[in-house]
Amino acid sequence: MVKIANRLRGLQQSTLGAMTVRCQELGALNLAQGRSQVPPPASLLAEGSRDFKELGHSYSQPEGLAVFREAVSDKVKRHSGLSVEPATQVLATVGATGALAATLTALLDAGDGVILFEPFYSYYLSALKMQNLRPEPVRLVGPDFAITEKPLRAAINGRTRAMIICSPNNPSGHRLTATELEIVSAVAEEHDLLVITDEVYEDIYFGPAPHLAAATVGNLEERTVTLGSLGKSFSIPGWRLGYVCGPELLISAIRIAADALVACAPAPLQELGARALSLGEDYYRDLRAMYDRKRRTLAEGFAAAGLSPNEPEGSYYLFVDCSRMGVTTGVEAAEILLENSLVGTVPGEAFYLAAPDRPYIRACFSVPDDVIAEAVSRLVSGV
């Protein structure tokens, strides 16, 4: 009998995917999967429809089209003040997940330890296991989920080679502060760690303070690889178009890995992606205003149902404490919400290695307004 690879041992369909299937079976509203169900920019769709047949439809070079990398460099500079050379410090990837896979493949070896801050995006864990890397959790405490120095230092050991941070965070919506990033910088420099920063939600934040790119703080720039994506900012996750930025030496290695894994990102979509990245600031302000409205409406619905939603500073998720339901786990809470209200959410356990301290669920508000309104109605009447 053909043997299954050991690296798949213990891996199975993600909790997010499994809940989507349950929602389909029961006819429930799906607030589980974070798949950007709001319309992409109308101008982008119009230009794509008009020009698609004229775009290049062969491979691009492994690092991506120059026009795309230049657009990434320009946008990163405008929004974060971080300067990256498009020819040597930017790489087009098949989504941010492709950027992460190539980074782990290029820069870490089997058995290396990687710090994960709990709660973390569940695919980080899958990606580490596929590379035979060791997840090393650091538990962050709600409701703010801030990084503090003592638990981080306690998690470092002789095998630790890297850490993954995410800001704005999925699932908590927390935005890392300069103080937190200074802690990350000091610990990373002391132990010579690679820092992988997932900033795919950089354009979705609430409040006046702009996005703070990790690589602009302390001494992080020289050891930080930044993952980005067009999927969240432009509601085009199905395009699978992302990028990675960082020091030339690291990006050169990641380019080799990305080439071996997938050859290149979709060339015609890179051309259209470059146009999306050039949209003006009015687009981003409208994007944030839209998500802020959706966030408030759904949070009010959970609160009206007697639950305790957090106040995310960014991303498009609520992380809801369901203790008032009388449950002890997020799994129980998500099942009750699904069965009683026909609203699908993700159990908080999907974002932790060990059981979380509270029965959390995550709910996505990147859905149409009528879906949010119906979800609120069902929550209030069903919980």
Side-chain angles (χ1 to χ4, degrees), residues 337-349:
L337 291 173
L338 184 63
E339 294 286 347
N340 292 0
S341 301
L342 289 179
V343 174
T345 59
V346 184
E349 284 79 359

Side-chain angles (χ1 to χ4, degrees), residues 66-83:
V67 67
F68 178 75
R69 289 178 284 122
E70 289 166 2
V72 169
S73 176
D74 289 345
K75 193 247 187 180
V76 168
K77 180 66 174 178
R78 289 197 318 270
H79 284 209
S80 70
L82 181 65
S83 294

Side-chain angles (χ1 to χ4, degrees), residues 109-370:
D109 293 316
D112 286 345
V114 180
I115 296 291
L116 292 180
F117 293 96
E118 296 179 314
F120 53 79
Y121 176 46
S122 58
Y123 275 90
Y124 297 159
L125 184 58
S126 300
L128 294 184
K129 288 183 175 180
M130 287 292 289
Q131 299 288 340
N132 293 315
L133 299 168
R134 295 163 50 91
E136 298 174 347
V138 175
R139 178 68 58 95
L140 304 182
V141 179
D144 58 349
F145 298 102
I147 293 174
T148 54
E149 187 169 1
K150 186 176 180 180
L152 174 55
R153 289 191 176 278
I156 304 293
N157 60 73
R159 293 189 178 184
T160 307
R161 286 280 315 284
M163 66 177 86
I164 299 177
I165 59 178
C166 179
S167 181
N169 182 265
N170 174 7
S172 73
H174 176 60
R175 299 173 70 195
L176 294 176
T177 64
T179 298
E180 291 171 87
L181 289 171
E182 289 284 4
I183 292 170
V184 169
S185 177
V187 173
E189 184 170 20
E190 180 179 336
H191 295 277
D192 194 20
L193 304 180
L194 167 71
V195 176
I196 302 169
T197 175
D198 179 352
E199 302 184 12
V200 300
Y201 297 99
E202 63 178 332
D203 297 314
I204 304 173
Y205 58 83
F206 314 113
H211 173 67
L212 178 60
T216 63
V217 176
N219 295 316
L220 282 172
E221 185 174 3
E222 65 189 27
R223 63 179 62 254
T224 295
V225 169
T226 302
L227 312 182
S229 169
L230 276 67
K232 308 301 188 291
S233 297
F234 306 106
S235 305
I236 50 173
W239 288 24
R240 308 308 302 132
L241 188 56
Y243 56 87
V244 55
C245 305
E248 180 177 349
L249 181 65
L250 301 185
I251 295 301
S252 178
I254 297 169
R255 175 192 177 279
I256 296 172
D259 184 14
L261 289 169
V262 296
C264 67
L269 300 184
Q270 290 184 53
E271 293 194 46
L272 293 175
R275 302 182 194 184
L277 289 166
S278 68
L279 287 171
E281 293 307 307
D282 287 349
Y283 169 76
Y284 295 100
R285 283 195 294 268
D286 290 346
L287 180 78
R288 288 190 283 273
M290 174 193 68
Y291 275 124
D292 192 23
R293 173 174 47 78
K294 291 177 183 291
R295 171 183 70 122
R296 293 176 184 277
T297 301
L298 188 58
E300 288 169 2
F302 275 106
L307 305 180
S308 302
N310 70 331
E311 296 184 15
E313 301 162 297
S315 78
Y316 48 56
Y317 305 104
L318 295 177
F319 208 45
V320 184
D321 181 353
C322 297
S323 298
R324 294 179 186 176
M325 293 173 66
V327 299
T328 58
T329 70
V331 173
E332 295 175 85
E335 188 63 27
I336 291 171
L337 291 173
L338 184 63
E339 294 286 347
N340 292 0
S341 301
L342 289 179
V343 174
T345 59
V346 184
E349 284 79 359
F351 310 104
Y352 290 80
L353 277 172
D357 56 324
R358 293 180 177 273
Y360 290 115
I361 57 96
R362 191 198 74 175
C364 174
F365 51 86
S366 182
V367 295
D369 289 343
D370 61 337

